[in-house]
Amino acid sequence: MNYSVDERGYYGEYGGAFIPEMMYGNIEELRQNYRSILDNPDFQREFAQLLKDYVGRPTPLYLAERLSAFHKSRIYLKREDLNHTGAHKINNTVGQILIARRLGKTRIIAETGAGQHGVATATVCALKGMKCVVYMGQLDIERQEPNVLRMKMLGAEVIPVLSGNMTLKDATNEAIRDWINNPEDTHYIIGSVVGPHPYPDLVTRLQSVISDEMKWQLKEQTGRESPDFIVACVGGGSNAAGAFYHYLDNENVRLIAVEASGKGIDSGESAATMVLGRPGIIHGSRTILMQDDDGQITEPYSISAGLDYPGVGPIHSFLYQSKRAVFDHVTDDEAMEAAFRLTHLEGIVPALESAHALAVLDRYKFGEDHVVVVNLSGRGDKDMSTYMRYMDRYAAS
Ligand SMILES: *Cc1c(COP(=O)(O)O)cnc(C)c1O
């Protein structure tokens, strides 16, 4: 089985580029150039240097001893929470800003839901002195004030989107409109392994640094490059794609992808795409997504803003269909319990998204000698007000 994208931008039957005619020029320019830029030694040197000195990579691979004792196996945490700006998203934005410069662009646009990708984009724009415009639904602006303030302090222009539900989907539409109107000077930084080809492949490659490091770190600490299991949460799927990438062809490594089931699969308030969705087209690619009988995209829900997405990147639809990865799902309450457990056992407050990955550890009968890597995609600072509401229930005993 081949898990790489093909010439036409497909993973099996998923992917492609379903875009308006007016966007063709921008996408084609990126498609024709991204591989040669990524393979260029000068790009690789600059990217590696920034990941090291600016982002703080390599992120540690940490053997969580008390968590391991609790789950009766050997659990390693890949510490993406220790990256600059607090999550894996910066790996992608650093890479894309370097690509934008090599394409001669001077202006960056992005969409953001919870604001995490907006902050990561505004950060690299400040770093490189590029103009930055972030589209964000008005409802999200009201819900995510700290991130809006951060983006503004970083010098980004945050444009409120008042159409539709005033959330991520509407912000994405506005960003696309902007790009069509500004094809010459603007690059659009998409924040996950979603969107038309070549974005899913581009973002996967930029995030693949996660599994690249895992290989030598595991070798150093366990004597072999491969773990038995890798667990990662999936919103659009970029941290999971990066954590899986270098192990895709090694079927001995079992991959577990975790979606958010919100208040429960049947509650009507969920983001468990693989259970509730079917193939369709969203944001320019064919993938599995949540939709009603008329093909209208269903509004997703999760307590964690980063997992609150109605689709998944096309690579994940293929990993699901081919059974290369197991897709599981976790409710708000299960994620909350796992977040407090990690905090109490290890002194690490995880992002709510990452807590979904931790929550499935309860479900699998890992052997005592099994090496399990959990990709800890981000830290929990941004989620403190949510955690506070649950503090009484999960107070340390
Ligand atoms: C955005 C985000 C996610 C979800 O995005 P993916 O593309 O699925 O990785 C997960 N964890 C954190 C901390 C995030 O900020």
Side-chain angles (χ1 to χ4, degrees):
M1 195 66 89
N2 179 5
Y3 301 101
S4 305
V5 80
D6 70 17
E7 284 287 301
R8 295 152 46 247
Y10 280 85
Y11 305 86
E13 63 187 82
Y14 299 108
F18 298 83
I19 51 173
E21 183 70 35
M22 308 265 294
M23 207 171 141
Y24 182 80
N26 307 32
I27 290 291
E28 190 55 17
E29 181 185 32
L30 186 62
R31 191 188 69 79
Q32 284 181 4
N33 291 293
Y34 83 106
R35 286 299 300 275
S36 60
I37 293 175
L38 290 178
D39 291 342
N40 183 299
D42 180 60
F43 169 88
Q44 289 179 354
R45 204 176 312 115
E46 195 178 356
F47 186 42
Q49 188 86 46
L50 281 175
L51 288 181
K52 175 168 173 284
D53 296 332
Y54 185 72
V55 175
R57 305 201 71 94
T59 59
L61 182 72
Y62 165 64
L63 173 60
E65 291 197 5
R66 299 218 311 141
L67 190 70
S68 296
F70 184 89
H71 290 294
K72 299 188 173 55
S73 62
R74 289 162 68 196
I75 298 177
Y76 288 83
L77 304 177
K78 182 60 175 155
R79 298 291 307 274
E80 294 301 297
D81 60 315
L82 294 177
N83 284 325
H84 180 44
T85 70
H88 65 290
K89 287 201 171 71
I90 192 88
N91 303 326
N92 170 46
T93 58
V94 166
Q96 284 204 49
I97 199 105
L98 298 182
I99 291 172
R101 289 169 71 82
R102 280 160 176 77
L103 292 173
K105 309 293 181 180
T106 54
R107 179 176 176 270
I108 297 294
I109 58 172
E111 83 296 336
T112 197
Q116 295 299 106
H117 173 56
V119 168
T121 302
T123 298
V124 297
C125 287
L127 174 70
K128 288 294 177 185
M130 306 268 272
K131 191 168 164 34
C132 181
V133 175
V134 178
Y135 289 91
M136 188 168 186
Q138 177 63 32
L139 189 65
D140 289 331
I141 287 182
E142 286 159 20
R143 292 192 289 200
Q144 309 288 343
E145 200 194 13
N147 278 340
V148 176
L149 298 178
R150 254 170 108 187
M151 285 185 268
K152 288 186 174 163
M153 180 159 174
L154 287 160
E157 182 186 355
V158 180
I159 301 190
V161 175
L162 299 167
S163 55
N165 292 315
M166 300 190 275
T167 59
L168 179 63
K169 180 158 51 70
D170 315 292
T172 304
N173 291 337
E174 282 309 312
I176 290 171
R177 197 159 304 153
D178 180 312
W179 207 20
I180 288 171
N181 290 327
N182 299 285
E184 292 298 324
D185 66 344
T186 299
H187 174 68
Y188 179 15
I189 300 190
I190 291 185
S192 189
V193 290
V194 301
H197 180 62
Y199 280 104
D201 186 47
L202 169 60
V203 179
T204 297
R205 287 170 189 271
L206 294 174
Q207 291 291 0
S208 71
V209 65
I210 299 172
S211 48
D212 201 32
E213 290 173 2
M214 256 153 66
K215 279 169 54 177
W216 62 260
Q217 291 173 321
L218 279 168
K219 176 90 181 163
E220 236 174 52
Q221 296 187 47
T222 72
R224 57 189 175 99
E225 280 190 349
S226 317
D228 298 293
F229 294 87
I230 303 173
V231 187
C233 66
V234 172
S238 68
N239 86 86
F244 295 168
Y245 187 78
H246 288 287
Y247 297 105
L248 287 171
D249 293 329
N250 180 352
E251 310 259 348
N252 294 325
V253 180
R254 294 179 49 192
L255 309 175
I256 303 175
V258 186
E259 294 191 287
S261 53
K263 296 186 177 166
I265 288 292
D266 301 319
S267 67
E269 293 182 83
S270 175
T273 307
M274 293 312 187
V275 186
L276 298 169
R278 59 195 160 80
I281 290 168
I282 182 171
H283 298 150
S285 87
R286 184 168 193 278
T287 190
I288 298 174
L289 64 119
M290 290 165 39
Q291 52 192 312
D292 64 20
D293 293 341
D294 300 326
Q296 292 292 326
I297 291 163
T298 316
E299 199 63 21
Y301 163 83
S302 162
I303 195 168
S304 118
L307 302 185
D308 182 345
Y309 184 72
V312 291
I315 187 172
H316 291 293
S317 293
F318 185 61
L319 294 177
Y320 173 75
Q321 188 191 46
S322 63
K323 300 196 163 64
R324 175 65 188 94
V326 171
F327 280 75
D328 207 333
H329 47 81
V330 158
T331 64
D332 290 354
D333 286 347
E334 290 166 329
M336 198 54 73
E337 188 174 339
F340 277 86
R341 177 177 300 143
L342 183 74
T343 305
H344 296 156
L345 290 178
E346 299 288 347
I348 298 170
V349 180
L352 261 169
E353 292 83 359
S354 321
H356 285 71
L358 293 162
V360 301
L361 296 176
D362 268 344
R363 290 194 197 151
Y364 292 85
K365 291 276 165 273
F366 300 122
E368 288 199 17
D369 292 331
H370 276 152
V371 171
V372 181
V373 177
V374 180
N375 198 41
L376 203 71
S377 55
R379 61 175 170 250
D381 308 30
K382 66 185 179 60
D383 299 311
M384 282 317 300
S385 62
T386 311
Y387 285 146
M388 257 162 61
R389 299 206 304 268
Y390 289 76
M391 206 77 91
D392 290 343
R393 194 187 315 176
Y394 295 109
S397 47

